[in-house]
Structure formats: C-alpha cells, structure tokens
Amino acid sequence: MARAAKKKPVLELIEFSRARDIPFNRIHLSNDNVREVDADVGLDELEFDVERREDLILGINVRAILDADGNETGDFETPAGGRRHRVIARLVAKGRFPEDGLVPCIVKKANAKTSAVDDSLAENTFRQALHPLDQFRAFKRMVDGGMKIEEVASAYFTTDRYVEQRLVLAKVSPKLHAVYAANGMTLKMLEAFTAHPDHERQEQVWEAVQQTHRNEPWQIRDMLTETTVPSSDKRARFVGLDAYLAAGGPVLPRYLFDDDEDGWLEDVKLLDRMVAEKLKAAADEVAAEGWKWLAADLELPYGYDHDLRGIVGTFAELSAKERRQREKLRDEQERLETEYAGHEELPDHIDRRLGEIEKQLEAFERRPVVFDPAEIAFAGAFVTVDEDGELIVDRGWVRPEDEPVETVEAGDEPEADAEAETDADSEAEPEVQRTVITVGGEADEPEEDEKAVRPLPERLVIELSAHRTIALRHAVGNNPRIAMTALLHKLVHDAFKRQTHGAGLHVSVREIYCGEQGVDLKNTPYAKAVDERHENWKARLPADSDALWDWLEALDDDSRMALLAHCVAFGVNALYERPNPLSASGISEAGLQRRLSEADRLAIVTGLDMAEAGFRPTVANYFGRVTKQRILEAVAEACGASTANLFELQKKDKLGLAAAAEERLANTGWLPEPLRLMVEEPAIEPDADGAEADVALPDFLAGEEETDAESVIPAFLKRRDTEDAADPDADPAPLVAAE
C-alpha cells in the first residue's frame, strides 16, 4: 500500500518594515536606547564624516509614538540610531541642516514582535568588526580612485603615516594576504614583509620561515634584506644616501614600521666602491701633510697601533676671537646650569641649547694637533671610519723600522757595524708565502659529510684565543693583587731558574698583540673596557718623560697598584699558536702547554667567565665556520639531545642551522672549547740536566707532527666522540666556564 507524501511545513513569510522620510523635528530620542555609557564619545568624528559626505550612510530606526488611546501622534522615537540623531541635532544648531529637514528612517511595524529595547541592543551587538586586510585594500582603492593620502587620513581621523603603512601592507603578495586572512601570521609578521617589494622574494622568505621557524618580525626583515646594506650602516652613512642615489644606486622603499631605518641599499658593489674612493680621497688629503706612511681601511683591527710609538703634538693655538667665543659659551653654560639647577627636568629649548653649547665646546677641544715637521717625516697615520660613518684620522705613529738612528762617524766601531750588518742579512730571509683561499673572509673549504667530526679550524682556535687573551687582560688589570702575584711569580721564576744573563734586575712587560683576530674582537665589552682604562691612564700621565718618576712617586698606594695591574695585564698571553715540533723556532709543545695552563690559572683566580665577560658564539665567530655536526653538538651540550635532534630535522641548510643555533644559544652561557678551562695537567718537571721535559698538549690541541691545521689539532672533539661511543645514553658532560 503506497504511503501518502509527507507535507512540508508552510513557513510564515517575513515582512520588513517600510522606509520613509520623516521631518527631523518629529523624531525624538528614545528612553529605550541601551547605549548610555559614553554615548557622546566619537560624535565629533561622526559629525565630521556626515558633513564630509553630506549624507547619512545608515538611516535611523524609529517607532511611532502613541497617545493614551493607542493612536499614532505623528511623532516618532528612535531606540536605534541615537548617535546619528545627536549628530543631526548638532548640524541643525550650526545651521547646516533644516530643523524640519527630511531624515531617512526605517519605521517599525505597529505589530512588531520585538521591543524597542530589543531592537536597540541588537543594532549595537550584531556587528562584525572589519578585518584589517579589508581596510588596507579599501584605502588602496580610495587612493587609486583619486583621493590623496592626506584626504584619506583626514576622513578617518588618522595620520598620513598610518595610511601610508596600510597602503604598503596592501601591496604585499596576495599569497601572504591569504595566509594573514586565515590567521596564519600576525600583523607584525605581515609588516616585516613590506621590507622588500618583490612578491617572489616575499614568498621565498615565507617558505624559509616555515622551514626554519625563524618567524620573529626582525628575523623576517633580516632575511628579506640579507643581500642589501641598511641605511644605518657605517658605509652608507660615510658615503651619504644622497651621493649613493646620485650615482644611480637603487634603494629598497623606506621601511615604514621602524623610525630607525630609512631603507636598504641594494647595490653593495657600488657602495663599497664609493666607500673606497672616498676613503682614498681622504687618505690623499692626509698624506699631503707629509707623513711617511698612511694606512687607510674601513675596519682597523683591535690594537692596530701595537708596537708603534706615538709622537706628541701640540694643539693649535686659539685666536683671540676664538678664545672670546669659548669663554662666552662657558659663561652661558654656567648661567643656564645655575638658573635651572633646581628643576627636575629641563625645558626642551634649554636642553637643546645646552646640547649645542656642549658640542661647540667639544669642537674647541678637538681642534687640530700640530706636529713637528721633522717627526712627520718618519711617522705615519691611520685613516678609518667609525660606527657613525664619521672619518677618523689617528696621526703620529712611528714604526720600529722608521725610528731615527744616530749617525756614526767614520772609523767608529766598524766591527760592530759589520756584525750588525751580517746579523741583519742573516735575519732578512724571505718568508715562505702560503696561498690561502678565502671566501667572505673565511677559508674556502669543501663541505664534508654531515656526520663527520673534524677538528676546529686552526684560524678559528687562534681567533678564539685572542678573545680569551683580551678578556684575561681586562680581568688582571682590574685586580691589582693578582697582578702583583703574577709579577712576583715572574720575578721568582727568573731569579731561581738561573736565568741570570742580562742586567742585574731586568723586568719587562711586552704587550701581546693578537695578530690573528676576528672582526668582532674590538667591539667586545672587554676590549672596549681595556681601551677605556688605557685612555684614562694615558690622559693622566705627564707629557714629559723626565717628570714621570716624580709623578709616580706622588701617586697614592691604590692608584699605584691600579696602574701596576693595568701595565702587567698587557703581558697576559693566552694565545694559541701552532707549536713547532722541531723546536727550531716559535713555541714548543711544552711552552704552549705552560702558556695555556698559566692562562687557566689566571682565569680561575680572577673568576673570569667568558660568557659573563660578554662573549657570545655567533655565525661570524663560530657557527658559520664549523661543520653541521659540531653545531648540533653545541646545541646538544647547551639545550639537550632532544633539542639537537629537533634542529637536525628542521634545519636543512648549514646557514639556517648556524643562525638558529646562534639565536638559541645566545644566553645559555655555552662556550667553544678553546674558551673553557683546560683539563688540569701534571706539573712540568725538569729532567736531569735541567731542561723541561716534553708535556703532551690537551686533547683539543694535540696532534701529529705535521704541518697542516687538521693534524695540529686533530682531537678537539674526538675525545668526546670516544666517550659517547662507550656510553651513548650518557648525558653531556657539564661545561666549565672559565673563559
């Protein structure tokens, strides 16, 4: 038997309320409007927008007012649209709209099922905020349609800068817009992608971000601009952005989300050439002063004046007019400081004026130094650029080979002259030139098997030991008691080891210069501290050498000890250098062992920790110069094996792995092995004839008697590899930071 078809329910049709125009003077505010708190907030902006448009975007929702018998009175109340009603009232008061002017309204049906309160609450509740991406695109369409940026900013009560930022956000790759719309990235991340206008480059970086998880905005911006030079770079400041642009150099658009950066210079080769040309021109100008030699470089190494003698010049005399001007500035400075001494905060114009006075007075102090022309003839100067892009000229340095010598009369001591000439000839043997191929300042070595553990490059070990040497110099210079102990240790060693040749009492401290060093050494906290302390003492020393003894005699005990510590510290030597297995020249293995052991002792007694001193392993000074396996081992030591395994899975390229390791290990205190304490070794005992017996170097410096870097330090980490093989589940050994 067939079933009867089931009937669908009949739905009641919805009938919308009708719209009509009603004179404004017949519309009244309703007591049922739910917006009571801050009801007038934003009315100025809304009034401006209505005046600008000369129209309402949205009509007013009204209900008929009934009399006691339930009949319509002809007046209406507005439970939804109170803010628009208040704005129209303002326009009526200003004469911009007639009192009986017609207002578009939605008139609620007499048989409406919802109350006035319900309507008011619904209008203020069921709103969906505009997605920021829609705003970006809307601003762009408005500007593309002919509106000026200033007009858009004025219409929406914001700044020109805000509109410009939204316009550049609207120009980011549509693929990244889709990711942002789906909440796949934050607004800050999207802002970072505006650093480069090329959509393909933006999408490449986004893919890299997903692979490496380097998703901080600053990291994204760095990846986008890694082949460019920021305008804040010393090279860009030295050349000048206008000069670079005039030479045809392209610049990425100004980054609108950071006031510190005005763009990136794309043609690095052009910039470097302009830097070299400007530096050469400045060097030529200085050379015209008559110096014997001149060294110009964008980066001078730390301790560039090592083994050079500085000649003393005198400041150029001020003219009578300049002296009067200086005194006038000093009087004004003193008057202003006295007048505003009781103020917690100086007024802006006074603060600016005091800053101007200070700069002008500094200019008097930095006036040119006049040198004796006779000394200029055998001295030289350095020309470089500081971090602010300012040209720096350091004049008046004499090289040892340029020191003037007294003329020996004919017939005087011919034997000595002949002997000296013979010695000079014997010592002037040509150095063996070894070809070193470098790429980006580093040795160009083929990448090897990721799992292979190679010893650290010898150049890297040398550079790291330079960091330790300067840090130890700072630590010893800050501790007079230890400096005195070190000096006494040296004297006792000399006195009781039968080293009696020479003068009766001969004590000297030779400054140890780090010939091989990374570019970051001079900017480390410990190097800057040593330089600052040296300059402070230098400023206090008398210019006349004959007065030095009396000046030292007059020092109090604390100052004498502090000066002693500073001077002794210059003899600290923790440098690694390749030992000569034949001991014909250079340092022997036993000598290197003794040097590094004594450096350990100084590190222990001064409490030196290289991490606390300011050393941080970076791509430039470590991670970018070792194998991927070593990077992973460093991560494992600092953060655990699980983190290292995660890194190995996520980082496919060495550069990304090195950068991630730098970021992750930045504040962990992890240090490369050359910056840690050496394992304590037995004391060096002399053999029967008084000579010191050979002592094996520590594992990470030991090697076969070969001449290549790999053989000199072949077991830097093989010791740990052997231990790990014996117990693969063992936790990494704790690090000892003595650096």
Side-chain angles (χ1 to χ4, degrees), residues 340-347:
Y340 291 92
H343 290 66
E344 293 185 2
E345 187 173 348
L346 294 175

Side-chain angles (χ1 to χ4, degrees), residues 548-562:
L548 181 59
W549 180 273
D550 294 335
W551 183 82
L552 291 172
E553 279 290 322
L555 284 179
D556 59 85
D557 289 344
D558 289 342
S559 297
R560 289 161 64 89
M561 289 294 290

